Amino acid sequence: MKKLRNIICLLVAALSLTAVQSCKTELENRYMDPEQTDIPNIRAFMTQILNNSRLRSEYWHYRTFVLPHHARYTQTTYFGINNTMYQQQDSYTNDYWRDFYSPGMLGVFRVMERTYAAMPEAERTEYDAFMHATRVIVYGQAAKLVNNFGDIPFSEAGSLPATDQIMLGKFDDQKELYDQFITAFAEAAEFFSTYQNTNDFIRADIINRGNGEKWRRYANSLRLRLLMQISKSDETRARTDIMAMLNAPEMYPLIDGTQASLEAGGRHDVLNQKLTTYTSSLLDAVRELNTHYAPDYMLNTVLKTANDPRMDALFGKYGRTEGGRVIPNAEFQALPINTSEAVADAEYANATLRRFAIVDSATMWINNNLPGVLMTTSEVNFIKAEAQERWGSTAAARTAYETAVEQSVDFYFYLNGASSNSLKATRPTASAVQDFIKTSNIAYEGAPQAKLQLIGTQKWLHFGWLQAEQAWADYRRTGYPVLPAFPVSNLNGFQNPPLRMLYPSNEVTNNSMNYEAVRAKDTRTTRIFWDVD
């Protein structure tokens, strides 16, 4: 038992790439199986990883990382014009890095791997589902780090060599990591194709509630996402593998809305629902950055010109106050993109003015029930639409595209209807949604490139700021939507949004020897390997 404690202490210390941390008694208390006190509890480790705050719609993740970075770089939110508007917040990037490595997802997963490897082979089968499901989550988040930074420490990160000496991890090649993640997703999907769930797995799985088919579909869908992400840099591989998946849906089921085995009323999307112990909303995250103002291009150009029914779930018209009550504006209207923060604040401080719309409070920013969004059926069908338009059937592309838009409308009205906020929007009728899809300016018409622009724009709209990390990755890959010119900052070196994020300073300082291998790449204008246009 003493030796095990020492191993756990060393593993916990190795979780950090930025500092050696002392071993906490709390870790042993929390993760030792009370029925088998000499074996760390793999079930609890899995739940701890799934409960990571970066997988949920929590204040810190949005306030410090998504809203001041990715949402600005994609114009999925309003942002005030100032000299630092595109400058990366290093302390917040350090937090994001730490939450993945130490004491975050990868670090805990390394403890799971070591525990699993130390088990007698005959006992491992009981834990295979835990390992595959957790690997899907960890590798999915690692892919986001690649999208943000490029090369990252991974193969050696959080690990101990045979001598039990702490070793800071080298920076692995980003393309090779993508290959590793894609392979792991395929292996997980194959495993879950025959998996019969257990009560232990159901209890530990706070995301998919032990549904093996949903894990299979999620793994396949993550593979699909990453294959599409590399489709400009390695089109041959992407086309071959994606079309093989789409042409054999019985072998490669996806999170696309076709799943029949969910419990009554269950959603097909992969959502990390709020725990009952967490009762906060994104109110402060949105309000502190003034991102509750509606963004220009999204509302004024994309939504309004199509008379898109999602406007009612995404934005509020707002309005002036007269006699103690709000008089709503006659129509939705967003602030022009070049509006300074001072002008915007003055507009909203004047109770007799307030001519511009705000983000809908019930759906997204004053909603205690807002889940973490890992993947939606709409995203998967947009990927299918792009693949079919580029390499398959334009008729199949139309079907996938129209399905994706319909699912997006449903998704945002679902968030609105399930809100803790009483100010709910009225869900449009099915016929109204179909009329919008087929007869508005988003109808699937035109030349192939025009159709790809439709897909990219609608996918960006669906991601919005809730999934701005994915929106930024897709925007860099496709160039869609064709956004209006970004306001230019006067701060030298930060005039425009970056093409990648800089490594956090703690990593640069504390992993300096390995950092030397990637120093030349550590610029705001270095492209991620899949960003070739």
Side-chain angles (χ1 to χ4, degrees):
M1 185 68 178
K2 182 177 180 181
K3 182 178 180 182
L4 179 64
R5 287 195 182 97
N6 291 337
I7 290 173
I8 293 178
C9 288
L10 286 168
L11 284 166
V12 173
L15 305 189
S16 176
L17 293 174
T18 61
V20 177
Q21 304 205 355
S22 61
C23 181
K24 306 292 186 183
T25 304
E26 177 188 356
L27 183 71
E28 291 184 46
N29 293 339
R30 189 167 186 176
Y31 294 120
M32 297 300 290
D33 189 325
E35 296 180 0
Q36 303 179 69
T37 56
D38 60 338
I39 300 176
N41 191 339
I42 284 180
R43 305 172 187 88
F45 281 133
M46 172 178 160
T47 302
Q48 172 67 7
I49 289 173
L50 301 188
N51 194 37
N52 188 285
S53 63
R54 301 293 177 172
L55 298 177
R56 295 196 300 266
S57 56
E58 289 198 7
Y59 165 83
W60 194 251
H61 182 54
Y62 281 93
R63 168 62 179 81
T64 66
F65 196 62
V66 175
L67 289 171
H69 300 114
H70 309 79
R72 291 183 183 180
Y73 305 158
T74 55
Q75 294 185 25
T76 51
T77 187
Y78 164 85
F79 56 95
I81 299 174
N82 55 62
N83 284 341
T84 61
M85 58 189 169
Y86 304 130
Q87 187 174 22
Q88 183 177 321
Q89 303 298 307
D90 179 65
S91 63
Y92 296 151
T93 308
N94 276 310
D95 289 340
Y96 179 77
W97 192 267
R98 177 206 63 205
D99 286 347
F100 180 74
Y101 288 105
S102 172
M105 286 179 271
L106 183 63
V108 177
F109 185 58
R110 292 293 186 241
V111 182
M112 288 181 68
E113 289 180 316
R114 183 152 183 171
T115 303
Y116 180 82
M119 288 180 175
E121 188 170 352
E123 296 179 13
R124 293 179 189 166
T125 303
E126 181 181 350
Y127 297 97
D128 285 345
F130 298 87
M131 298 304 296
H132 278 294
T134 308
R135 188 175 293 109
V136 165
I137 293 294
V138 172
Y139 283 19
Q141 293 302 302
K144 286 187 177 182
L145 261 77
V146 171
N147 294 344
N148 286 327
F149 301 101
D151 298 347
I152 60 169
F154 193 79
S155 62
E156 296 175 351
S159 64
L160 285 173
T163 59
D164 285 336
Q165 297 298 309
I166 297 170
M167 181 175 69
L168 296 172
K170 67 178 182 179
F171 286 74
D172 293 312
D173 178 79
Q174 54 197 279
K175 183 180 183 301
E176 292 177 1
L177 287 174
Y178 249 61
D179 291 342
Q180 180 181 346
F181 302 155
I182 290 169
T183 298
F185 295 146
E187 291 171 349
E190 182 177 2
F191 169 81
F192 281 110
S193 67
T194 58
Y195 175 68
Q196 300 295 317
N197 64 19
T198 65
N199 288 333
D200 277 349
F201 187 61
I202 292 171
R203 285 195 295 269
D205 178 12
I206 61 174
I207 290 182
N208 288 327
R209 304 299 187 267
N211 188 314
E213 182 184 351
K214 198 165 186 178
W215 278 108
R216 180 189 184 191
R217 288 174 177 264
Y218 184 37
N220 278 330
S221 299
L222 284 171
R223 181 184 173 210
L224 188 74
R225 176 194 279 175
L226 266 60
L227 285 168
M228 184 56 77
Q229 199 64 39
I230 67 171
S231 66
K232 297 293 182 70
S233 60
D234 191 351
E235 184 169 7
T236 299
R237 179 190 181 185
R239 179 180 65 243
T240 300
D241 290 1
I242 288 175
M243 295 312 293
M245 294 176 73
L246 300 189
N247 289 332
E250 71 287 348
M251 293 180 60
Y252 304 102
L254 299 165
I255 297 291
D256 59 0
T258 61
Q259 185 173 344
S261 66
L262 285 175
E263 63 277 9
R267 293 196 63 83
H268 298 254
D269 314 291
V270 181
L271 307 175
N272 197 354
Q273 298 289 352
K274 291 283 187 71
L275 300 179
T276 56
T277 55
Y278 187 84
T279 58
S280 296
S281 70
L282 295 179
L283 170 64
D284 290 337
V286 172
R287 185 171 55 188
E288 288 171 9
L289 291 171
N290 283 344
T291 51
H292 52 296
Y293 308 157
D296 184 0
Y297 181 76
M298 179 180 286
L299 179 54
N300 293 339
T301 301
V302 178
L303 290 164
K304 276 186 66 177
T305 61
N307 195 24
D308 193 315
R310 283 170 290 188
M311 281 190 292
D312 287 331
L314 292 172
F315 300 106
K317 292 178 180 176
Y318 211 39
R320 67 188 186 280
T321 301
E322 289 184 3
R325 64 190 186 95
V326 175
I327 309 299
N329 293 317
E331 62 177 349
F332 289 100
Q333 186 67 31
L335 287 162
I337 191 172
N338 59 358
T339 304
S340 72
E341 195 162 22
V343 170
D345 287 345
E347 166 82 26
Y348 282 87
N350 189 336
T352 64
L353 207 58
R354 294 176 179 166
R355 298 163 295 179
F356 298 103
I358 59 173
V359 174
D360 185 81
S361 57
T363 302
M364 289 185 286
W365 64 295
I366 314 179
N367 178 3
N368 293 351
N369 298 330
L370 185 68
V373 184
L374 277 66
M375 180 167 279
T376 64
T377 59
S378 185
E379 177 192 349
V380 175
N381 278 300
F382 280 127
I383 296 173
K384 290 167 65 175
E386 180 182 347
Q388 291 289 359
E389 189 59 48
R390 290 171 64 182
W391 309 311
S393 158
T394 192
R398 174 193 294 274
T399 298
Y401 169 82
E402 292 180 347
T403 300
V405 175
E406 180 181 13
Q407 290 169 334
S408 179
V409 175
D410 172 73
F411 179 71
Y412 281 105
F413 278 95
Y414 157 72
L415 294 182
N416 184 276
S419 175
S420 61
N421 195 311
S422 60
L423 300 175
K424 308 293 176 62
T426 301
R427 178 182 280 268
T429 64
S431 61
V433 173
Q434 288 303 311
D435 184 62
F436 152 68
I437 292 171
K438 296 181 184 300
T439 66
S440 75
N441 63 9
I442 75 154
Y444 201 70
E445 306 291 347
Q449 202 60 41
K451 292 175 179 175
L452 290 173
Q453 183 171 341
L454 277 172
I455 294 167
T457 301
Q458 287 297 310
K459 190 179 181 187
W460 163 87
L461 172 62
H462 175 71
F463 281 143
W465 59 266
L466 281 182
Q467 288 188 280
E469 284 185 87
Q470 288 303 132
W472 191 40
D474 243 40
Y475 174 64
R476 286 174 290 163
R477 175 180 68 86
T478 67
Y480 297 132
V482 181
L483 295 171
F486 281 80
V488 177
S489 165
N490 293 324
L491 184 62
N492 187 38
F494 298 92
Q495 291 90 340
N496 301 294
L499 296 178
R500 65 174 286 277
M501 301 186 80
L502 301 175
Y503 293 118
S505 60
N506 282 351
E507 182 67 17
V508 173
T509 300
N510 294 294
N511 195 13
S512 57
M513 290 184 63
N514 288 310
Y515 173 73
E516 286 303 313
V518 296
R519 179 186 292 274
K521 302 178 183 179
D522 193 19
T523 73
R524 299 173 79 252
T525 56
T526 300
R527 294 178 181 270
I528 306 302
F529 80 98
W530 41 252
D531 183 7
V532 297
D533 289 341

